[in-house]
Amino acid sequence: MKYLLLKHYRGAPEAVNDVPMNRWTPAEVEDHVRYMGEFAARLETTGEFVDSQALSPEGVWVRHDGEGRPPVTDGPFAETKDLIAGWMIIDVESHERALELAGELSAAPGAGGKPIHEWLELRPFLGAAPTVTE
């Protein structure tokens, strides 16, 4: 079962250690990135890691505006909009295992070297589209 773990810049419930990353020391950022890398490497050895990426806070909303017209954009993202910091895809045997790994990832170190205890969004991938039979 594949799951997407979403890390939010903002938009999720407040974390216990809720100090924005731009206020962390370089060593705290390095420790956080190392934790994330070691977590992913461990899951690679168990076959549960699929992929992960960190995302920039810059971006725009884009939508189609009609045939022959250029796309419409809204952005850069307003401060009030939900922003995704990054994501990780895991492939696990059960929902319980996905919860266990999400909980562990939530404990990544942040300001002061203390666990962030951030809320991660855990979303299962949809299964294959059902086949229509007659």
Side-chain angles (χ1 to χ4, degrees):
M1 301 172 62
K2 287 186 181 173
Y3 287 86
L4 178 65
L5 295 163
L6 289 172
K7 293 176 65 71
H8 293 259
Y9 280 119
R10 62 180 171 268
E14 190 173 300
V16 173
N17 185 1
D18 196 29
V19 177
M21 188 179 250
N22 63 0
R23 295 189 9 220
W24 296 0
T25 67
E28 290 167 345
V29 172
E30 186 178 309
D31 289 346
H32 180 80
V33 171
R34 182 175 33 259
Y35 180 96
M36 300 292 293
E38 290 172 355
F39 181 84
R42 185 168 47 81
L43 294 187
E44 282 180 340
T45 66
T46 64
E48 296 172 308
F49 178 81
V50 176
D51 195 12
S52 68
Q53 293 292 319
L55 299 172
S56 166
E58 290 85 35
V60 297
W61 291 97
V62 180
R63 72 168 174 82
H64 179 74
D65 197 35
E67 191 64 37
R69 300 177 73 174
V72 175
T73 62
D74 176 23
F77 293 132
E79 290 299 314
T80 58
K81 292 181 183 168
D82 176 34
L83 286 179
I84 303 297
W87 50 267
M88 179 178 286
I89 299 172
I90 57 175
D91 190 356
V92 295
E93 291 296 320
S94 67
H95 181 73
E96 290 73 22
R97 177 64 174 155
L99 291 172
E100 176 185 336
L101 293 176
E104 187 176 337
L105 190 59
S106 169
K114 296 179 180 167
I116 300 170
H117 295 285
E118 67 184 322
W119 289 92
L120 299 174
E121 187 175 347
L122 179 65
R123 306 265 310 263
F125 279 47
L126 288 175
T131 305
V132 177
T133 55
E134 296 183 37

